[in-house]
Amino acid sequence: MAYSELLRNAIASTNYTQEEIARECTKLGVKRNKAQINNMVNGRLAPSNDEISKALAKVCGIDERLLILEHYFDNAPVEIKEIFATMKYLTFLSTSNALANRFPKEILEELKRQLEEQPLSDFAIELLDNGKVYIEQYTNGIKVTSEDNQVVLNTGVVGFPVKDDAMFPILPKGSKAIIEIKEKYANNDIVILRLKDTKDYLIRRIFYLGRQIILMADNKQFEQITKNQEDVTILGKVDSLITKI
């Protein structure tokens, strides 16, 4: 993912216009105008220094390392990009092998799709942050293992990113939801699901009504969805949450 696309997505997740983004950056001591922001999100202008990326990240409410690293990857040698792309795939293989007996095939396919779409900057940060935790646990005599006793490096790939505020405040945007696979799901369960003929997933509370299923968000700004049960595939119930403080 290019810096421009990452920035465009970050701005789209806010309620700010490009002009307001520029104004907020200027308040932080980084002078920007609407034309410059527009050129950056369209790939016509790159940040001249890290302070610009830091200001943009703060205004958009994202980790500043994402923009800083993505700008680096935009200009990095092909060999560096290939190293991280290979590490991403190897991470998926190790995780999927360890969890193959616990997750159905469609869950692993969804995780693979997420990993393929994940920016290299995001993967690098997860690798760094979770690697530090793993090393600390390992040196203290605590190993992260799967059910078959394989040592697994927890890179966070098993978590489903919470992409919006539909379930706020219980599931904040930017956190990661961990799911539990169940044979049956009950009314009021918070689940990760996919609608028929769509690739992306939603996180909603579910309520059964005859042959239909009602999908409700805790945030009232999101509309209620009613579907036939056969048009909804439930991937799992949200069991726990990974979030930064």
Side-chain angles (χ1 to χ4, degrees), residues 110 113 164 191-206 212-216 223-236:
E110 173 63 27
R113 186 184 70 82
D164 57 34
V191 302
I192 294 181
L193 59 96
R194 184 185 295 116
L195 301 180
K196 185 178 181 180
D197 299 326
T198 62
K199 293 183 178 181
D200 210 353
Y201 59 87
L202 298 175
I203 305 179
R204 295 290 190 274
R205 291 188 188 274
I206 57 169
Q212 293 187 316
I213 183 169
I214 300 172
L215 314 176
M216 296 188 65
E223 295 182 356
Q224 173 182 304
I225 301 172
T226 302
K227 293 287 185 180
N228 293 327
Q229 290 190 35
E230 60 266 25
D231 294 332
V232 177
T233 300
I234 297 178
L235 303 180

Side-chain angles (χ1 to χ4, degrees), residues 58-76:
K58 186 171 184 178
V59 172
C60 294
I62 63 173
D63 191 327
E64 65 181 30
R65 296 176 296 176
L66 286 170
L67 291 177
I68 292 173
L69 284 172
E70 202 63 33
H71 180 230
Y72 167 78
F73 283 124
D74 273 356
N75 300 283

Side-chain angles (χ1 to χ4, degrees), residues 72-224:
Y72 167 78
F73 283 124
D74 273 356
N75 300 283
V78 173
E79 292 79 6
I80 297 295
K81 296 179 183 179
E82 289 180 346
I83 289 173
F84 277 87
T86 301
M87 290 175 66
K88 281 177 63 177
Y89 188 66
L90 290 175
T91 295
F92 170 76
L93 288 179
S94 64
T95 304
S96 60
N97 288 338
L99 301 178
N101 296 326
R102 298 171 57 192
F103 288 85
K105 183 179 179 181
E106 58 266 25
I107 297 293
L108 296 177
E109 289 177 349
E110 173 63 27
L111 294 175
K112 182 179 180 182
R113 186 184 70 82
Q114 286 185 42
L115 192 65
E116 289 172 345
E117 296 178 355
Q118 184 183 32
L120 287 180
S121 56
D122 190 29
F123 173 76
I125 290 171
E126 283 192 348
L127 190 65
L128 176 63
D129 289 348
N130 291 291
K132 287 179 179 178
V133 172
Y134 175 79
I135 292 170
E136 181 179 351
Q137 290 176 333
Y138 196 92
T139 54
N140 289 332
I142 303 173
K143 300 179 183 179
V144 181
T145 62
S146 63
E147 289 185 344
D148 56 358
N149 293 321
Q150 295 184 35
V151 176
V152 178
L153 176 58
N154 177 16
T155 63
V157 69
V158 181
F160 284 78
V162 179
K163 300 179 180 179
D164 57 34
D165 291 319
M167 300 308 296
F168 183 83
I170 192 170
L171 297 179
K173 180 180 177 180
S175 59
K176 287 195 173 185
I178 307 301
I179 62 173
E180 174 188 4
I181 309 300
K182 304 183 69 176
E183 291 185 6
K184 293 183 179 181
Y185 299 93
N187 286 339
N188 205 40
D189 279 350
I190 299 176
V191 302
I192 294 181
L193 59 96
R194 184 185 295 116
L195 301 180
K196 185 178 181 180
D197 299 326
T198 62
K199 293 183 178 181
D200 210 353
Y201 59 87
L202 298 175
I203 305 179
R204 295 290 190 274
R205 291 188 188 274
I206 57 169
F207 295 90
Y208 294 102
L209 184 62
R211 295 179 60 84
Q212 293 187 316
I213 183 169
I214 300 172
L215 314 176
M216 296 188 65
D218 286 3
N219 187 339
K220 301 307 179 184
Q221 294 183 0
F222 289 77
E223 295 182 356
Q224 173 182 304

